[in-house]
Amino acid sequence: MNRAPSPIFSLPVTLPVTLALAPALALAACAEPVDQRSDRGVDGETGDLEVATTDGEAALLADAIPAGDFADLDLGAKIIGPRGPEVKVAMSNEAGAFADMTSYVACPAGMATCDPSEAPEGTVYTYVHTVFPGEDNDAATGSGSGADSSTVELAELFRMTGPAHGFTGNAGFSRAEANAAVGDKVMVTVTCQDGALAWTIDAGEGGDQWAQAEPITFFWQSTLPPAGPANRYEITANYTTASGEGPYPAESETATNACLASSGAGGS
């Protein structure tokens, strides 16, 4: 395996979120008594944070955009890229691998093949990334026999490190997978950061942590097809960051990025 080193929202984004917020959120949540959990302003059905109770949560909520559920998507065929229909990588840094990621890009439902050169104008492409902290324990797709990190006990953030070119404003994650990995009190907040997207995972009081070999699928939609795999994705795990390649669109002079739209969320 190659290793690598909808609806438009209208919530205003006013403050950029830094990587330091995720640990602060986890510590703040752990300080609260269990019996106060119902007062945190978390939607019990969606796991979305609705009312902030800490400064860190307030900053996140200010930048938050509505998050969709991956289960609600109806996708068509996948793009067949230079590495086939899926890109499988280890997300790593100089210390080793800290996650495995499987990514693909799909056309809308009803398209039996997904060839951007033949796709009709206005086609929306769904970028899908399934992230396994540590590795997925599958010899065929996991980190393999190379240098791995120690067991990942805490993963807090998945994000893009480049602008979400062509972003439509529709992004989200698999709620079923987040609940299975972390618990039914999990809060996954999607934000814009300098034109890119970030998914912050907060276990909350009484919840487990997103940890070793527990997959969560994240998605975002773009009017642009991928230009190829690029090292534009990053995970924060065990309080360090590791990056990896995934499908990524090229910048376009005509396509907009909803994270940068003046009428929507900012992040610049």
Side-chain angles (χ1 to χ4, degrees), residues 126-149:
T126 301
Y127 288 70
V128 180
H129 313 279
T130 301
V131 180
F132 298 80
E135 58 178 298
D136 63 6
N137 297 327
D138 185 335
T141 61
S143 295
S145 59
D148 288 345
S149 68

Side-chain angles (χ1 to χ4, degrees), residues 85-89 101-105 128-130 233 245-247:
E86 296 181 338
V87 177
K88 296 176 181 290
V89 301
M101 179 170 70
T102 298
S103 304
Y104 64 87
V105 180
V128 180
H129 313 279
T130 301
Y233 299 93
E245 289 185 327

